mmCIF file of all heavy atoms in Angstrom:
data_model
loop_
_atom_site.group_PDB
_atom_site.id
_atom_site.type_symbol
_atom_site.label_atom_id
_atom_site.label_comp_id
_atom_site.label_asym_id
_atom_site.label_seq_id
_atom_site.Cartn_x
_atom_site.Cartn_y
_atom_site.Cartn_z
ATOM 1 N N PHE A 633 56.437 3.644 35.344
ATOM 2 C CA PHE A 633 55.179 4.179 35.883
ATOM 3 C C PHE A 633 55.265 4.182 37.451
ATOM 4 O O PHE A 633 54.917 5.163 38.106
ATOM 5 C CB PHE A 633 53.996 3.384 35.413
ATOM 6 C CG PHE A 633 52.685 3.659 36.117
ATOM 7 C CD1 PHE A 633 52.031 4.862 35.887
ATOM 8 C CD2 PHE A 633 52.185 2.724 36.975
ATOM 9 C CE1 PHE A 633 50.831 5.125 36.551
ATOM 10 C CE2 PHE A 633 50.987 2.947 37.650
ATOM 11 C CZ PHE A 633 50.296 4.145 37.446
ATOM 12 N N ALA A 634 55.683 3.070 38.026
ATOM 13 C CA ALA A 634 55.718 2.958 39.484
ATOM 14 C C ALA A 634 56.699 3.941 40.065
ATOM 15 O O ALA A 634 56.365 4.686 41.066
ATOM 16 C CB ALA A 634 56.090 1.574 39.878
ATOM 17 N N LEU A 635 57.874 4.051 39.545
ATOM 18 C CA LEU A 635 58.925 4.957 40.051
ATOM 19 C C LEU A 635 58.538 6.457 39.864
ATOM 20 O O LEU A 635 58.740 7.248 40.799
ATOM 21 C CB LEU A 635 60.300 4.703 39.488
ATOM 22 C CG LEU A 635 60.865 3.308 39.910
ATOM 23 C CD1 LEU A 635 62.202 3.055 39.225
ATOM 24 C CD2 LEU A 635 60.976 3.209 41.450
ATOM 25 N N GLU A 636 57.957 6.761 38.776
ATOM 26 C CA GLU A 636 57.502 8.154 38.534
ATOM 27 C C GLU A 636 56.370 8.512 39.521
ATOM 28 O O GLU A 636 56.325 9.606 40.040
ATOM 29 C CB GLU A 636 57.005 8.348 37.119
ATOM 30 C CG GLU A 636 58.067 8.392 36.093
ATOM 31 C CD GLU A 636 57.633 8.414 34.669
ATOM 32 O OE1 GLU A 636 56.435 8.294 34.388
ATOM 33 O OE2 GLU A 636 58.477 8.573 33.756
ATOM 34 N N THR A 637 55.536 7.537 39.807
ATOM 35 C CA THR A 637 54.452 7.780 40.768
ATOM 36 C C THR A 637 55.032 7.990 42.165
ATOM 37 O O THR A 637 54.594 8.932 42.845
ATOM 38 C CB THR A 637 53.424 6.622 40.762
ATOM 39 O OG1 THR A 637 52.897 6.518 39.453
ATOM 40 C CG2 THR A 637 52.366 6.750 41.795
ATOM 41 N N LEU A 638 55.972 7.156 42.583
ATOM 42 C CA LEU A 638 56.608 7.340 43.897
ATOM 43 C C LEU A 638 57.256 8.660 44.065
ATOM 44 O O LEU A 638 57.076 9.325 45.053
ATOM 45 C CB LEU A 638 57.623 6.247 44.149
ATOM 46 C CG LEU A 638 57.130 4.803 44.287
ATOM 47 C CD1 LEU A 638 58.320 3.876 44.588
ATOM 48 C CD2 LEU A 638 56.091 4.654 45.324
ATOM 49 N N MET A 639 57.973 9.067 43.024
ATOM 50 C CA MET A 639 58.621 10.386 43.084
ATOM 51 C C MET A 639 57.571 11.518 43.158
ATOM 52 O O MET A 639 57.763 12.432 43.918
ATOM 53 C CB MET A 639 59.550 10.592 41.907
ATOM 54 C CG MET A 639 60.723 9.637 41.843
ATOM 55 S SD MET A 639 61.773 9.777 43.277
ATOM 56 C CE MET A 639 62.448 11.387 43.046
ATOM 57 N N GLU A 640 56.551 11.424 42.355
ATOM 58 C CA GLU A 640 55.511 12.474 42.358
ATOM 59 C C GLU A 640 54.876 12.547 43.702
ATOM 60 O O GLU A 640 54.510 13.638 44.228
ATOM 61 C CB GLU A 640 54.491 12.170 41.273
ATOM 62 C CG GLU A 640 53.441 13.240 41.188
ATOM 63 C CD GLU A 640 52.442 12.948 40.108
ATOM 64 O OE1 GLU A 640 52.884 12.484 38.963
ATOM 65 O OE2 GLU A 640 51.187 13.170 40.286
ATOM 66 N N TRP A 641 54.598 11.387 44.353
ATOM 67 C CA TRP A 641 53.934 11.370 45.665
ATOM 68 C C TRP A 641 54.918 11.755 46.785
ATOM 69 O O TRP A 641 54.413 12.030 47.892
ATOM 70 C CB TRP A 641 53.366 9.996 45.954
ATOM 71 C CG TRP A 641 52.161 9.660 45.116
ATOM 72 C CD1 TRP A 641 51.401 10.493 44.331
ATOM 73 C CD2 TRP A 641 51.547 8.345 45.042
ATOM 74 N NE1 TRP A 641 50.343 9.787 43.785
ATOM 75 C CE2 TRP A 641 50.412 8.480 44.153
ATOM 76 C CE3 TRP A 641 51.833 7.133 45.580
ATOM 77 C CZ2 TRP A 641 49.604 7.428 43.860
ATOM 78 C CZ3 TRP A 641 51.030 6.052 45.248
ATOM 79 C CH2 TRP A 641 49.893 6.185 44.375
ATOM 80 N N GLY A 642 56.173 11.700 46.532
ATOM 81 C CA GLY A 642 57.164 12.092 47.582
ATOM 82 C C GLY A 642 57.762 10.933 48.336
ATOM 83 O O GLY A 642 58.446 11.133 49.318
ATOM 84 N N TYR A 643 57.469 9.709 47.943
ATOM 85 C CA TYR A 643 58.150 8.559 48.540
ATOM 86 C C TYR A 643 59.617 8.509 48.044
ATOM 87 O O TYR A 643 59.863 8.442 46.856
ATOM 88 C CB TYR A 643 57.415 7.239 48.175
ATOM 89 C CG TYR A 643 56.128 7.056 48.889
ATOM 90 C CD1 TYR A 643 54.918 7.220 48.269
ATOM 91 C CD2 TYR A 643 56.119 6.631 50.250
ATOM 92 C CE1 TYR A 643 53.741 7.028 48.871
ATOM 93 C CE2 TYR A 643 54.921 6.414 50.879
ATOM 94 C CZ TYR A 643 53.710 6.584 50.226
ATOM 95 O OH TYR A 643 52.548 6.366 50.854
ATOM 96 N N ARG A 644 60.528 8.550 48.959
ATOM 97 C CA ARG A 644 61.971 8.554 48.624
ATOM 98 C C ARG A 644 62.684 7.304 49.019
ATOM 99 O O ARG A 644 63.894 7.201 48.888
ATOM 100 C CB ARG A 644 62.638 9.798 49.260
ATOM 101 C CG ARG A 644 61.934 11.109 48.975
ATOM 102 C CD ARG A 644 62.365 11.633 47.612
ATOM 103 N NE ARG A 644 61.752 12.959 47.403
ATOM 104 C CZ ARG A 644 60.907 13.173 46.410
ATOM 105 N NH1 ARG A 644 60.524 12.215 45.556
ATOM 106 N NH2 ARG A 644 60.377 14.393 46.276
ATOM 107 N N ASP A 645 61.989 6.337 49.539
ATOM 108 C CA ASP A 645 62.604 5.185 50.217
ATOM 109 C C ASP A 645 62.221 3.943 49.401
ATOM 110 O O ASP A 645 61.162 3.831 48.752
ATOM 111 C CB ASP A 645 62.022 5.074 51.637
ATOM 112 C CG ASP A 645 62.711 4.030 52.460
ATOM 113 O OD1 ASP A 645 63.902 3.784 52.313
ATOM 114 O OD2 ASP A 645 61.992 3.385 53.285
ATOM 115 N N ARG A 646 63.098 2.920 49.418
ATOM 116 C CA ARG A 646 62.856 1.575 48.873
ATOM 117 C C ARG A 646 62.560 1.508 47.419
ATOM 118 O O ARG A 646 61.834 0.584 46.962
ATOM 119 C CB ARG A 646 61.784 0.884 49.759
ATOM 120 C CG ARG A 646 62.188 0.712 51.172
ATOM 121 C CD ARG A 646 61.272 -0.117 51.964
ATOM 122 N NE ARG A 646 61.413 -1.515 51.520
ATOM 123 C CZ ARG A 646 60.649 -2.522 52.056
ATOM 124 N NH1 ARG A 646 59.716 -2.240 52.893
ATOM 125 N NH2 ARG A 646 60.867 -3.779 51.607
ATOM 126 N N HIS A 647 63.081 2.433 46.617
ATOM 127 C CA HIS A 647 62.765 2.389 45.196
ATOM 128 C C HIS A 647 63.224 1.107 44.581
ATOM 129 O O HIS A 647 62.539 0.567 43.659
ATOM 130 C CB HIS A 647 63.424 3.599 44.491
ATOM 131 C CG HIS A 647 62.717 4.860 44.758
ATOM 132 N ND1 HIS A 647 62.956 6.018 44.061
ATOM 133 C CD2 HIS A 647 61.755 5.205 45.646
ATOM 134 C CE1 HIS A 647 62.198 6.985 44.520
ATOM 135 N NE2 HIS A 647 61.503 6.566 45.531
ATOM 136 N N ASP A 648 64.425 0.591 44.909
ATOM 137 C CA ASP A 648 64.930 -0.669 44.317
ATOM 138 C C ASP A 648 63.951 -1.867 44.659
ATOM 139 O O ASP A 648 63.687 -2.699 43.820
ATOM 140 C CB ASP A 648 66.336 -1.003 44.751
ATOM 141 C CG ASP A 648 67.323 -0.038 44.146
ATOM 142 O OD1 ASP A 648 67.042 0.586 43.089
ATOM 143 O OD2 ASP A 648 68.438 0.081 44.705
ATOM 144 N N ASP A 649 63.520 -1.855 45.847
ATOM 145 C CA ASP A 649 62.537 -2.936 46.333
ATOM 146 C C ASP A 649 61.217 -2.840 45.496
ATOM 147 O O ASP A 649 60.712 -3.879 45.040
ATOM 148 C CB ASP A 649 62.259 -2.836 47.793
ATOM 149 C CG ASP A 649 63.450 -3.181 48.652
ATOM 150 O OD1 ASP A 649 64.471 -3.617 48.121
ATOM 151 O OD2 ASP A 649 63.407 -2.837 49.847
ATOM 152 N N VAL A 650 60.717 -1.664 45.368
ATOM 153 C CA VAL A 650 59.495 -1.474 44.638
ATOM 154 C C VAL A 650 59.662 -1.864 43.147
ATOM 155 O O VAL A 650 58.874 -2.538 42.530
ATOM 156 C CB VAL A 650 58.958 -0.009 44.755
ATOM 157 C CG1 VAL A 650 57.771 0.219 43.849
ATOM 158 C CG2 VAL A 650 58.558 0.304 46.168
ATOM 159 N N ARG A 651 60.823 -1.407 42.581
ATOM 160 C CA ARG A 651 61.069 -1.713 41.186
ATOM 161 C C ARG A 651 61.127 -3.223 40.954
ATOM 162 O O ARG A 651 60.527 -3.718 39.971
ATOM 163 C CB ARG A 651 62.420 -1.053 40.790
ATOM 164 C CG ARG A 651 62.799 -1.344 39.362
ATOM 165 C CD ARG A 651 64.185 -0.817 38.988
ATOM 166 N NE ARG A 651 64.300 0.673 39.145
ATOM 167 C CZ ARG A 651 65.104 1.278 39.941
ATOM 168 N NH1 ARG A 651 65.948 0.648 40.665
ATOM 169 N NH2 ARG A 651 65.101 2.611 39.947
ATOM 170 N N LEU A 652 61.777 -3.950 41.849
ATOM 171 C CA LEU A 652 61.865 -5.392 41.690
ATOM 172 C C LEU A 652 60.527 -6.086 41.890
ATOM 173 O O LEU A 652 60.180 -6.929 41.096
ATOM 174 C CB LEU A 652 62.903 -5.983 42.665
ATOM 175 C CG LEU A 652 63.182 -7.457 42.534
ATOM 176 C CD1 LEU A 652 63.643 -7.791 41.152
ATOM 177 C CD2 LEU A 652 64.164 -7.943 43.562
ATOM 178 N N CYS A 653 59.753 -5.658 42.835
ATOM 179 C CA CYS A 653 58.416 -6.281 43.067
ATOM 180 C C CYS A 653 57.529 -5.996 41.836
ATOM 181 O O CYS A 653 56.877 -6.896 41.356
ATOM 182 C CB CYS A 653 57.755 -5.667 44.338
ATOM 183 S SG CYS A 653 58.488 -6.319 45.841
ATOM 184 N N VAL A 654 57.527 -4.746 41.318
ATOM 185 C CA VAL A 654 56.735 -4.477 40.156
ATOM 186 C C VAL A 654 57.161 -5.318 38.979
ATOM 187 O O VAL A 654 56.371 -5.934 38.226
ATOM 188 C CB VAL A 654 56.754 -2.937 39.816
ATOM 189 C CG1 VAL A 654 56.243 -2.697 38.426
ATOM 190 C CG2 VAL A 654 56.043 -2.155 40.851
ATOM 191 N N SER A 655 58.485 -5.370 38.812
ATOM 192 C CA SER A 655 59.040 -6.179 37.694
ATOM 193 C C SER A 655 58.620 -7.629 37.736
ATOM 194 O O SER A 655 58.151 -8.176 36.756
ATOM 195 C CB SER A 655 60.597 -6.038 37.683
ATOM 196 O OG SER A 655 61.071 -6.570 36.522
ATOM 197 N N GLU A 656 58.734 -8.238 38.880
ATOM 198 C CA GLU A 656 58.389 -9.620 39.048
ATOM 199 C C GLU A 656 56.882 -9.888 38.913
ATOM 200 O O GLU A 656 56.457 -10.840 38.257
ATOM 201 C CB GLU A 656 58.871 -10.157 40.407
ATOM 202 C CG GLU A 656 60.397 -10.222 40.536
ATOM 203 C CD GLU A 656 61.086 -11.113 39.515
ATOM 204 O OE1 GLU A 656 60.425 -12.071 38.958
ATOM 205 O OE2 GLU A 656 62.239 -10.867 39.199
ATOM 206 N N LEU A 657 56.041 -9.071 39.523
ATOM 207 C CA LEU A 657 54.594 -9.233 39.384
ATOM 208 C C LEU A 657 54.115 -8.981 37.961
ATOM 209 O O LEU A 657 53.245 -9.735 37.481
ATOM 210 C CB LEU A 657 53.851 -8.344 40.411
ATOM 211 C CG LEU A 657 54.170 -8.666 41.892
ATOM 212 C CD1 LEU A 657 53.396 -7.728 42.785
ATOM 213 C CD2 LEU A 657 53.912 -10.108 42.295
ATOM 214 N N ALA A 658 54.673 -8.013 37.319
ATOM 215 C CA ALA A 658 54.254 -7.692 35.943
ATOM 216 C C ALA A 658 54.693 -8.811 35.020
ATOM 217 O O ALA A 658 53.948 -9.219 34.133
ATOM 218 C CB ALA A 658 54.816 -6.351 35.542
ATOM 219 N N THR A 659 55.900 -9.315 35.244
ATOM 220 C CA THR A 659 56.438 -10.418 34.394
ATOM 221 C C THR A 659 55.550 -11.648 34.590
ATOM 222 O O THR A 659 55.215 -12.322 33.552
ATOM 223 C CB THR A 659 57.910 -10.720 34.763
ATOM 224 O OG1 THR A 659 58.685 -9.595 34.482
ATOM 225 C CG2 THR A 659 58.382 -11.939 33.975
ATOM 226 N N ASN A 660 55.150 -11.953 35.786
ATOM 227 C CA ASN A 660 54.270 -13.118 35.995
ATOM 228 C C ASN A 660 52.932 -12.937 35.339
ATOM 229 O O ASN A 660 52.406 -13.891 34.718
ATOM 230 C CB ASN A 660 54.076 -13.352 37.462
ATOM 231 C CG ASN A 660 55.265 -14.110 38.124
ATOM 232 O OD1 ASN A 660 56.186 -14.526 37.435
ATOM 233 N ND2 ASN A 660 55.247 -14.194 39.468
ATOM 234 N N ALA A 661 52.409 -11.708 35.368
ATOM 235 C CA ALA A 661 51.078 -11.448 34.704
ATOM 236 C C ALA A 661 51.302 -11.595 33.197
ATOM 237 O O ALA A 661 50.396 -12.225 32.540
ATOM 238 C CB ALA A 661 50.557 -10.061 35.025
ATOM 239 N N LEU A 662 52.372 -11.183 32.697
ATOM 240 C CA LEU A 662 52.692 -11.246 31.263
ATOM 241 C C LEU A 662 52.804 -12.728 30.790
ATOM 242 O O LEU A 662 52.220 -13.149 29.834
ATOM 243 C CB LEU A 662 53.891 -10.457 30.932
ATOM 244 C CG LEU A 662 54.383 -10.546 29.468
ATOM 245 C CD1 LEU A 662 53.528 -9.699 28.594
ATOM 246 C CD2 LEU A 662 55.853 -9.993 29.447
ATOM 247 N N LEU A 663 53.602 -13.463 31.518
ATOM 248 C CA LEU A 663 53.927 -14.835 31.149
ATOM 249 C C LEU A 663 52.855 -15.870 31.524
ATOM 250 O O LEU A 663 52.634 -16.875 30.804
ATOM 251 C CB LEU A 663 55.228 -15.248 31.773
ATOM 252 C CG LEU A 663 56.462 -14.522 31.315
ATOM 253 C CD1 LEU A 663 57.693 -15.034 32.118
ATOM 254 C CD2 LEU A 663 56.653 -14.663 29.836
ATOM 255 N N HIS A 664 52.160 -15.644 32.675
ATOM 256 C CA HIS A 664 51.290 -16.691 33.173
ATOM 257 C C HIS A 664 49.824 -16.244 33.386
ATOM 258 O O HIS A 664 48.951 -17.095 33.618
ATOM 259 C CB HIS A 664 51.824 -17.205 34.515
ATOM 260 C CG HIS A 664 53.220 -17.633 34.481
ATOM 261 N ND1 HIS A 664 53.670 -18.733 33.733
ATOM 262 C CD2 HIS A 664 54.318 -17.125 35.087
ATOM 263 C CE1 HIS A 664 55.037 -18.832 33.896
ATOM 264 N NE2 HIS A 664 55.416 -17.855 34.640
ATOM 265 N N GLY A 665 49.595 -14.939 33.394
ATOM 266 C CA GLY A 665 48.232 -14.479 33.789
ATOM 267 C C GLY A 665 47.396 -13.942 32.704
ATOM 268 O O GLY A 665 46.331 -14.431 32.413
ATOM 269 N N ALA A 666 47.876 -12.865 32.059
ATOM 270 C CA ALA A 666 47.020 -12.216 31.031
ATOM 271 C C ALA A 666 46.938 -13.079 29.790
ATOM 272 O O ALA A 666 47.992 -13.423 29.168
ATOM 273 C CB ALA A 666 47.582 -10.814 30.654
ATOM 274 N N PRO A 667 45.715 -13.483 29.355
ATOM 275 C CA PRO A 667 45.592 -14.278 28.124
ATOM 276 C C PRO A 667 46.033 -13.418 26.897
ATOM 277 O O PRO A 667 45.996 -12.214 26.966
ATOM 278 C CB PRO A 667 44.098 -14.643 28.098
ATOM 279 C CG PRO A 667 43.623 -14.407 29.529
ATOM 280 C CD PRO A 667 44.500 -13.325 30.097
ATOM 281 N N PRO A 668 46.375 -14.128 25.794
ATOM 282 C CA PRO A 668 46.742 -13.390 24.600
ATOM 283 C C PRO A 668 45.630 -12.355 24.204
ATOM 284 O O PRO A 668 44.453 -12.650 24.282
ATOM 285 C CB PRO A 668 46.854 -14.462 23.571
ATOM 286 C CG PRO A 668 47.259 -15.710 24.345
ATOM 287 C CD PRO A 668 46.479 -15.575 25.659
ATOM 288 N N GLY A 669 46.080 -11.178 23.799
ATOM 289 C CA GLY A 669 45.155 -10.107 23.462
ATOM 290 C C GLY A 669 44.577 -9.341 24.602
ATOM 291 O O GLY A 669 43.823 -8.373 24.374
ATOM 292 N N ARG A 670 44.944 -9.695 25.814
ATOM 293 C CA ARG A 670 44.388 -9.009 26.979
ATOM 294 C C ARG A 670 45.467 -8.152 27.620
ATOM 295 O O ARG A 670 46.602 -8.171 27.221
ATOM 296 C CB ARG A 670 43.823 -10.048 28.031
ATOM 297 C CG ARG A 670 42.798 -10.973 27.531
ATOM 298 C CD ARG A 670 41.478 -10.321 27.128
ATOM 299 N NE ARG A 670 40.828 -9.614 28.157
ATOM 300 C CZ ARG A 670 39.840 -10.113 28.886
ATOM 301 N NH1 ARG A 670 39.386 -11.322 28.724
ATOM 302 N NH2 ARG A 670 39.223 -9.369 29.834
ATOM 303 N N GLU A 671 45.045 -7.423 28.664
ATOM 304 C CA GLU A 671 45.954 -6.522 29.375
ATOM 305 C C GLU A 671 46.075 -6.950 30.789
ATOM 306 O O GLU A 671 45.362 -7.803 31.293
ATOM 307 C CB GLU A 671 45.426 -5.085 29.342
ATOM 308 C CG GLU A 671 45.298 -4.519 27.927
ATOM 309 C CD GLU A 671 44.648 -3.158 27.993
ATOM 310 O OE1 GLU A 671 43.665 -2.970 28.712
ATOM 311 O OE2 GLU A 671 45.126 -2.263 27.239
ATOM 312 N N PHE A 672 47.031 -6.361 31.499
ATOM 313 C CA PHE A 672 47.128 -6.479 32.951
ATOM 314 C C PHE A 672 47.189 -5.050 33.510
ATOM 315 O O PHE A 672 47.493 -4.166 32.746
ATOM 316 C CB PHE A 672 48.306 -7.314 33.407
ATOM 317 C CG PHE A 672 49.668 -6.721 33.223
ATOM 318 C CD1 PHE A 672 50.290 -5.884 34.133
ATOM 319 C CD2 PHE A 672 50.331 -7.009 31.982
ATOM 320 C CE1 PHE A 672 51.495 -5.335 33.895
ATOM 321 C CE2 PHE A 672 51.587 -6.421 31.734
ATOM 322 C CZ PHE A 672 52.194 -5.610 32.670
#
């Protein structure tokens, strides 16, 4: 979702950095933040 959005908006820089930040923040929400049955 993040990379498709960047491409659609025309951002061509730092895709690997964005991908890693999204991955780490989403993983933390999944493992430590969102309670069972909820979303992030």
